[in-house]
Amino acid sequence: MTRTAGYSLTPPLPGEVQVEVTGACNLRCRMCLVRYAPGLGRAEGALAYEDFRDLVAGLPALTRVTLQGLGEPLLAPHLLDMVRCAADRGIEVGFNTNGVLLDRRWARDLIGAGAGWVHVSLDGATAATYEDVRHSTTFAPRPGQFDRVVGNLRALLAERAAAGSARPVVKLVFVAMRRNVAELPDLVALAADLGVDELWVQNLSHSFSDTDPAGRYAAIREYAARESLETDPAAGRDAFAVAREVAAARGLPIRLPRVEEATPVDADRPGCTWPWDSAYITHRGEVQPCCMVMGSDRATLGRLRDRTFADVWHGEAYQAFRAGLLDHRPAEVCRGCALYRGTF
């Protein structure tokens, strides 16, 4: 067995964490696990402010905190307090939102609280495509939702300009799928017109190939197989090429995922460095190696109600998880991960 040099099984406490401040969400998006799981109410799904404060206080090297998980952060009752808690300590703090609730008042409050970045998901350049992806499983797609999110983006950028600030950094996030990738070039143009700082394009995060085809992840597993560009790279090839050209012409920074050519394996590095650099904590206090897992039953390495974060971070379960990555024999949950495969 070989071990990659420079990567300890018990590394120092991380300088970055991602915290699921709520498990509740106002949408049921097709590519998200929330759609395929029982819904949570705002109170039931909320992370307590005291638990967040204690977590931050116990990580002296912390420099960056992401306040998001499977839920919508703007539904977290203590979101602004959490932003202030981190910002007052000099910690860079931000989150991704679906943007539906991000009205002008939220924009002002987030700027005043010291949010470092706000990323807004927009999975189409037209209302029809966007609302096909992002709607409730209980109700029909909500007319006007696309226009509402675009309007909220304009308001956020206007409030930032009025404050004379470059923060929060505002990015659009687009999850590329077969059903929407043809609209990517038009979304680039829209993003440039809005004046966002960057457009981040990503592949579906996980194939769920490690799960039982007939089990609780069957529906999202089937959806990923149908929609992932990894299984049909040609579906996005032209759209990516045109999007790159439009972005260059409009001066918009754009990030595009690898799909046709995955990152080659480096024998001198672990297949993924998340378990050395960061951690993901659910609203229930479950500590997981990363946000890509999506499902606390698949890779929970400890629980904060039972042990401190430091004890979990240096515990046997975390050490075993890291060892698998070092030896390029990772846990099964990693094998279906787009980040691990280099295609995210």
Side-chain angles (χ1 to χ4, degrees), residues 2-8 266-271 276 325-328:
T2 60
R3 287 279 164 82
T4 306
Y7 288 90
S8 168
D266 184 345
D268 295 327
R269 288 174 55 84
W276 285 264
L325 289 166
L326 287 177
D327 295 334
H328 297 283

Side-chain angles (χ1 to χ4, degrees), residues 53-255:
R53 183 192 59 200
D54 292 347
L55 175 67
V56 170
L59 295 171
L62 206 57
T63 60
R64 183 179 175 91
V65 175
T66 301
L67 302 177
Q68 76 183 71
L70 290 176
E72 165 54 45
L74 296 181
L75 289 175
H78 307 294
L79 180 65
L80 286 174
D81 292 331
M82 293 172 176
V83 171
R84 292 189 193 98
C85 173
D88 288 349
R89 293 170 179 258
I91 298 168
E92 188 80 4
V93 58
F95 56 90
N96 191 95
T97 171
N98 60 45
V100 173
L101 304 175
L102 187 60
D103 58 16
R104 193 172 288 270
R105 180 177 177 180
W106 263 116
R108 291 173 184 155
D109 287 346
L110 289 167
I111 292 167
W117 77 93
V118 175
H119 299 171
V120 179
S121 295
L122 202 64
D123 298 310
T126 65
T129 296
Y130 170 84
E131 291 166 10
D132 170 65
V133 172
R134 292 186 172 266
H135 65 83
S136 170
T137 54
T138 305
F139 303 100
R142 300 169 185 174
Q145 187 167 282
F146 174 79
D147 292 335
R148 180 177 180 177
V149 174
V150 171
N152 287 345
L153 267 165
R154 293 188 192 280
L156 172 60
L157 292 163
E159 290 294 332
R160 186 180 73 172
S165 176
R167 294 160 62 84
V169 172
V170 179
K171 296 183 183 181
L172 283 190
V173 178
F174 176 85
V175 180
M177 298 171 280
R178 294 188 200 181
R179 69 175 57 234
N180 67 356
V181 71
E183 292 191 4
L184 180 56
D186 290 337
L187 185 66
V188 173
L190 175 60
D193 289 341
L194 287 169
V196 300
D197 299 301
E198 185 178 347
L199 174 59
W200 176 283
V201 182
Q202 66 185 55
N203 192 18
L204 290 174
S205 60
H206 214 286
S207 70
F208 296 88
S209 57
D210 61 293
T211 63
D212 180 356
R216 60 176 295 206
Y217 294 95
I220 193 169
R221 175 175 173 153
E222 291 170 4
Y223 182 81
R226 289 196 310 270
E227 290 291 332
S228 176
L229 298 182
E230 287 188 68
T231 58
D232 185 12
R237 187 181 300 134
D238 292 344
F240 283 2
V242 176
R244 190 179 289 108
E245 292 174 0
V246 176
R250 300 293 300 271
L252 176 72
I254 186 172
R255 182 269 188 191

